Amino acid sequence: MFRTALRNVLAHKARLLMTVLAVMLGVAFVSGTLVFTDTLSQAFRSQSAKSYDDVAVAVSMYPSPEEAAKTPGLSQDVIDRIGKLDGVTSVSGRVDGFAGVPDKDGKLIGVGWSNKGTNFAPGADGKDRAYDFTQGAGPLQDGQIALDQATAAKGGYKVGDTVRVATNGPVKEYTLSGVFTTEDGAVSAGGSLVLFDNPVAQQQYVKPGFYRDATVVAAPGTDADKLLDEVLKVVPKAATAQTGQALADQQAKDIEAGLGALKQVLLGFAGIALFVGVFLIANTFTMLVAQRTKELALMRAVGASRKQITRSVLAEAGLVGLIASVVGYGLGIALAVGLRAGMNAFDLKVPDGPLVLGTTPLVAALAVGILITMFAAWLPGRRAAKIPPVAAMSSVHAAATTKSLVVRNSIGAALTALGAVLIVLGAGKGGDDGRMFIAGGAFVTLIGVIVLIPLLSRPVIAVIRPLFVGLFGVSGKLAGLNAVRNPRRTGATASALAIGLTLVTGLSVLGTTVGSALDKMTTDQIRADYMISMASGGGMNTDALAAIEKAPGATAVSPQLAGWFSLNGKDVSASGVTPGDIERLIKLDTVKGSLDSLGEGKIAVAEKTATKQGWKVGDTLPVEFGDKQKGKLTVGAVFEDSEFVSPVVIDAEIITAHEQQSYIPQIFVSMDGGASAANEKALAKAMGDNPAITVMDQKDIRDLFGGQINMLLNIMYGLLAMALLIAILGVVNTLAMSVFERQQEIGMLRAIGLDRRRVKRMVRLEAVVISLFGAVVGIGLGSFLGWAIGETMKSSLPGYALVLPWDRIGIFLVLAGLVGVLAAMWPARSAAKLNMLAAIKAE
């Protein structure tokens, strides 16, 4: 039986090619994901370990606001005491924060969050162990900086040039003293690194004489654990310390966890591709077994048992799966190399390191490919083994029994109904719990629709068929009839396309709906002409606010200052704003009281918070501010909830009076004459043409939210393309098998006058009908899921309303038709080239 299976694989190479391709693509995605994430993980782990090669102990101190008022970090005295411990050869204190450098056109180099500044900390030999200088030397004066090699190259800077550097304060000019290479993670992530003279860095990021971190280098043979115990005795209680090895291990775990999310997403899409591939494989083996019915019956007649027949089909599937797995693994390695190169091309730099080819990706590739193929082929093999030899020789087995169809349709209807109920319940429940219900319901519904899809094929195709008959005449009529001749085959083929389009449509409906809600929220709530923020995502200081207030043409300016106070032992976040201006910049509809009370030192509270806390206008709240001073705040207004301010709004001057350093995420501005190029330029000039500060008009603000959604959708579309490609292969496979089975019929049609052009058209239209059928099912189910998931987010999105992206749905239908046309090219050409006399004689 094994020799028979091998012979059948070799005899049907062309027919099994599509199955091999489907399995190969899925396996490539799985193995490529594993190799890629293993390679990334090893590269970052090696980089992390290298950074801490000679670090015995690492100390950090990031105190709370209360502690920072007394001791903002590690003092120079603490650093000196650590340096005097036995076995310590050197101690380097570090501070860091945001620092951005523009290119020659004034645009920020790198991405804001990965642009970093720190201090140059030379040892007794005048060198800083963390940096290797390729040009010049480190900064040793107030007006000097050094740049990493990649940033210097992008900006076209050379030693001696003047470089503008943006931090959270005003832009300043420095002289470039040197260019260096480093293993710093900010540079590896495609960002930039600026080295300042030590006092300058301390002044900018902490306080003169203080550091945030310190690295301790010990003499050879020093016990790191014992040294750690000694270090802990001399550092403040608010500081944390650990050995360099422990820190490297912790960073390795953090890297693993960070890459774990990426791995799960990619493997999820690989699973979808394999799930779609199951239908193609099952369809292929069903048709192959059907075409070998008489052969299998003869084998049964000469003594082969049912188990042997089933094992023969499974052995055939195992061989196909093995071939596909091996090729898919090789393709996965190429995919991993391509992904790594792609990250570097987008400035998402990956540290140098070898490609990691572990045993897990290889085992996973073989296991997934072989098991998936054998699982998909098991049912066709089992069905073939059950056919009585005499019935098989007479070919009366082809029609499914009424009983089997009734059982199948009943199971499909029950599963679909159960899944739909779970989805509706989840939509009503909302939140994370509701989404769990929807996830379970979606899976059950999808399985139910797949089981039920042969029954759905007749009514759905019956609706489409008149259009084809009217446009294409006899060819269209024959195509419609052929599409429903074998509902199981048509259903299995359409299922693959339906699954892909269910996911694509669901994402599109959800993305369009959420994007529309965010756009409406932005349009309705932001009255300001501009929103100003840091490219790094960090906060601005009061100097930037003062500069904007003095900008020519500014008619209303208010920060959205991040503040807080304590009430009954619990911290309450508050937005510090400018009274009188804020209501001209952000829509804050009052429910009770008046926002004018902000100017009197009172607070305004969001409606939901006021209801939850039981606060009313006129209530006085005993509070404690960040500097431990106590006071009383009176509720002066209750306003409708807004996404652009905290639940509590207060005069910014009250917050700044109790905080050493203010944190301003956004500043809203209205200008005389509204948004214009001249006003935008005036604001940029007022802030010293700071490349790290972005000035966004209302369109930019809408794009900020909507652009993220569209980018996410495009990534999802790209990842789902593999599933759709497998679905296309399924259509090609089905049509090729159909043409093979209908040789005699096609020969008869040719003999009675159907020319080659119309034969081609008939096969093409049959493919289009099947593709459109799958598309209609997928779009309907996807829209339902998109609505349900959207309902769970309704409470957190003001102005939420379901939006169906009719333009994209239309594109999906057109693409489905195009898929049918492309998939039918080879089968249609084969059908048209059949010799009519030879075809008529074919069995």
Side-chain angles (χ1 to χ4, degrees):
M1 296 304 292
F2 180 78
R3 288 198 300 271
T4 302
L6 181 60
R7 187 205 66 189
N8 284 323
V9 170
L10 297 175
H12 301 107
K13 293 187 290 291
R15 298 184 205 174
L16 292 169
L17 176 62
M18 300 300 175
T19 301
V20 171
L21 286 173
V23 179
M24 181 184 71
L25 289 173
V27 168
F29 215 152
V30 171
S31 58
T33 296
L34 294 174
V35 171
F36 175 63
T37 52
D38 286 351
T39 299
L40 251 63
S41 180
Q42 182 60 44
F44 282 115
R45 278 200 301 266
S46 297
Q47 182 191 52
S48 176
K50 186 176 179 181
S51 299
Y52 295 100
D53 268 349
D54 55 354
V55 175
V57 176
V59 186
S60 296
M61 185 173 175
Y62 291 83
S64 64
E66 296 89 346
E67 295 168 332
K70 299 177 181 178
T71 309
L74 300 168
S75 66
Q76 186 62 51
D77 179 58
V78 170
I79 299 295
D80 292 340
R81 278 188 284 165
I82 294 173
K84 293 177 182 178
L85 295 174
D86 291 340
V88 174
T89 58
S90 66
V91 184
S92 299
R94 299 287 179 192
V95 293
D96 58 61
F98 170 77
V101 176
D103 58 19
K104 296 298 184 181
D105 297 325
K107 295 182 179 179
L108 189 67
I109 297 174
V111 184
W113 59 266
S114 61
N115 292 328
K116 178 181 169 184
T118 188
N119 60 309
F120 177 63
D125 58 356
K127 295 180 179 180
D128 190 328
R129 51 167 292 278
Y131 312 105
D132 294 322
F133 280 82
T134 58
Q135 299 176 38
L140 296 174
Q141 299 177 15
D142 289 357
Q144 293 182 335
I145 61 161
L147 291 176
D148 68 274
Q149 194 171 45
T151 301
K154 290 175 184 176
Y157 295 116
K158 298 178 181 179
V159 173
D161 287 353
T162 298
V163 182
R164 299 174 70 244
V165 180
T167 57
N168 291 342
V171 178
K172 294 182 180 180
E173 293 186 345
Y174 298 86
T175 300
L176 184 63
S177 66
V179 176
F180 59 88
T181 60
T182 178
E183 297 293 331
D184 193 282
V187 178
S188 298
S192 61
L193 181 60
V194 181
L195 295 184
F196 296 96
D197 179 41
N198 194 56
V200 174
Q202 289 179 325
Q203 176 67 41
Q204 289 196 94
Y205 298 127
V206 190
K207 189 178 179 181
F210 288 90
Y211 301 91
R212 291 291 191 202
D213 303 280
T215 53
V216 182
V217 179
T222 302
D223 189 313
D225 292 322
K226 289 183 179 179
L227 180 59
L228 174 62
D229 293 336
E230 295 301 316
V231 168
L232 286 171
K233 293 177 183 177
V234 299
V235 299
K237 291 182 179 179
T240 59
Q242 57 189 133
T243 63
Q245 183 61 52
L247 186 58
D249 292 342
Q250 182 59 50
Q251 287 200 1
K253 289 181 181 178
D254 293 341
I255 291 166
E256 197 74 34
L259 291 175
L262 173 64
K263 181 189 290 188
Q264 294 301 320
V265 170
L266 293 176
L267 287 177
F269 283 98
I272 292 169
L274 289 169
F275 185 54
V276 172
V278 166
F279 295 95
L280 170 56
I281 299 163
N283 218 13
T284 301
F285 276 93
T286 297
M287 290 184 282
L288 286 173
V289 168
Q291 290 172 11
R292 291 163 43 205
T293 301
K294 290 187 178 181
E295 173 192 327
L296 295 174
L298 183 60
M299 293 175 67
R300 288 288 311 280
V302 297
S305 66
R306 287 185 176 185
K307 290 184 179 180
Q308 285 179 312
I309 295 295
T310 303
R311 284 200 295 265
S312 173
V313 176
L314 290 177
E316 188 176 337
L319 288 172
V320 171
L322 178 62
I323 295 168
S325 297
V326 172
V327 178
Y329 177 68
L331 189 61
I333 294 173
L335 178 64
V337 173
L339 286 171
R340 183 171 179 173
M343 289 185 70
N344 288 327
F346 283 99
D347 279 341
L348 299 172
K349 295 182 181 179
V350 179
D352 292 333
L355 194 68
V356 179
L357 300 177
T359 56
T360 301
L362 178 59
V363 172
L366 293 173
V368 167
I370 295 172
L371 292 178
I372 287 290
T373 310
M374 293 180 70
F375 170 76
W378 173 76
L379 189 59
R382 185 170 174 270
R383 190 182 298 132
K386 282 186 174 183
I387 300 171
V390 176
M393 289 181 180
S394 303
S395 297
V396 297
H397 68 286
T401 64
T402 303
K403 180 181 178 181
S404 68
L405 290 175
V406 169
V407 171
R408 176 180 180 136
N409 294 337
S410 299
I411 293 173
L415 289 173
T416 303
L418 175 62
V421 168
L422 289 173
I423 291 171
V424 172
L425 284 175
K429 192 175 184 64
D432 291 337
D433 292 339
R435 284 189 278 274
M436 291 296 290
F437 270 92
I438 292 172
F443 180 75
V444 174
T445 302
L446 201 58
I447 297 298
V449 169
I450 290 167
V451 174
L452 198 61
I453 206 166
L455 178 65
L456 297 175
S457 63
R458 290 187 182 276
V460 174
I461 292 175
V463 174
I464 301 172
R465 190 166 58 204
L467 176 64
F468 286 86
V469 174
L471 292 174
F472 304 104
V474 174
S475 296
K477 184 176 182 179
L478 291 171
L481 293 172
N482 290 332
V484 294
R485 174 181 295 183
N486 190 333
R488 286 189 174 184
R489 181 185 301 170
T490 298
T493 304
S495 293
L497 196 58
I499 293 168
L501 281 175
T502 294
L503 297 169
V504 169
T505 306
L507 289 170
S508 297
V509 170
L510 185 62
T512 304
T513 300
V514 172
S516 176
L518 290 173
D519 186 72
K520 185 176 185 297
M521 181 178 70
T522 303
T523 305
D524 288 350
Q525 294 192 20
I526 294 185
R527 295 171 174 171
D529 295 322
Y530 296 101
M531 183 177 81
I532 299 171
S533 61
M534 291 289 292
S536 63
M540 295 168 282
N541 58 23
T542 52
D543 291 341
L545 178 62
I548 294 169
E549 289 175 336
K550 295 176 182 177
T555 57
V557 179
S558 175
Q560 203 280 81
L561 187 151
W564 67 280
F565 54 81
S566 179
L567 176 65
N568 297 326
K570 294 183 179 179
D571 292 343
V572 178
S573 62
S575 289
V577 300
T578 301
D581 282 2
I582 186 61
E583 55 264 43
R584 297 166 59 189
L585 300 166
I586 296 177
K587 182 182 179 183
L588 296 176
D589 291 333
T590 53
V591 178
K592 291 181 181 179
S594 172
L595 291 176
D596 293 338
S597 61
L598 290 173
E600 302 168 6
K602 297 181 180 180
I603 62 173
V605 183
E607 187 175 15
K608 289 181 181 178
T609 301
T611 302
K612 182 179 179 181
Q613 299 293 338
W615 296 343
K616 300 184 296 296
V617 172
D619 287 353
T620 299
L621 311 176
V623 301
E624 183 178 78
F625 295 100
D627 57 0
K628 297 300 182 180
Q629 290 190 22
K630 296 182 179 180
K632 293 183 179 180
L633 294 174
T634 302
V635 178
V638 175
F639 62 91
E640 293 181 2
D641 288 68
S642 170
E643 296 295 318
F644 293 95
V645 293
S646 297
V648 175
V649 175
I650 189 172
D651 187 343
E653 292 185 359
I654 297 176
I655 297 294
T656 55
H658 296 280
E659 292 185 358
Q660 288 186 334
Q661 189 170 3
S662 299
Y663 178 81
I664 306 175
Q666 297 101 20
I667 300 174
F668 296 95
V669 186
S670 281
M671 302 288 287
D672 186 16
S676 66
N679 281 335
E680 186 173 338
K681 187 175 181 180
L683 286 172
K685 187 175 181 180
M687 293 179 291
D689 291 320
N690 190 331
I693 294 180
T694 58
V695 180
M696 293 180 283
D697 59 21
Q698 289 200 359
K699 181 180 180 303
D700 294 328
I701 298 170
R702 292 198 300 271
D703 291 343
L704 176 67
F705 295 107
Q708 293 174 349
I709 293 173
N710 288 331
M711 181 179 70
L712 181 62
L713 282 177
N714 290 333
I715 292 172
M716 297 296 184
Y717 290 158
L719 292 171
L720 287 170
M722 183 173 291
L724 293 176
L725 177 59
I726 294 173
I728 293 171
L729 295 176
V731 178
V732 175
N733 219 17
T734 295
L735 290 175
M737 296 291 185
S738 180
V739 168
F740 178 82
E741 289 179 350
R742 289 156 42 202
Q743 289 185 68
Q744 191 176 62
E745 174 192 321
I746 293 171
M748 290 293 295
L749 290 172
R750 289 291 315 282
I752 62 175
L754 196 69
D755 59 20
R756 289 185 175 181
R757 181 172 58 86
R758 287 178 178 169
V759 169
K760 285 183 179 180
R761 183 183 297 168
M762 176 187 71
V763 177
R764 289 196 194 103
L765 292 177
E766 182 181 346
V768 171
V769 168
I770 294 173
S771 297
L772 288 177
F773 168 50
V776 169
V777 173
I779 289 171
L781 186 54
S783 299
F784 179 48
L785 290 175
W787 162 80
I789 297 172
E791 287 293 304
T792 65
M793 306 166 65
K794 196 172 183 177
S795 60
S796 60
L797 280 175
Y800 172 90
L802 178 67
V803 178
L804 291 177
W806 293 110
D807 53 342
R808 296 190 187 188
I809 289 174
I811 291 172
F812 296 157
L813 287 171
V814 171
L815 288 176
L818 184 61
V819 163
V821 173
L822 294 175
M825 289 180 65
W826 173 52
R829 187 166 176 269
S830 299
K833 291 177 68 176
L834 286 175
N835 182 291
M836 67 180 71
L837 295 178
I840 290 171
K841 292 193 298 180
E843 294 187 4

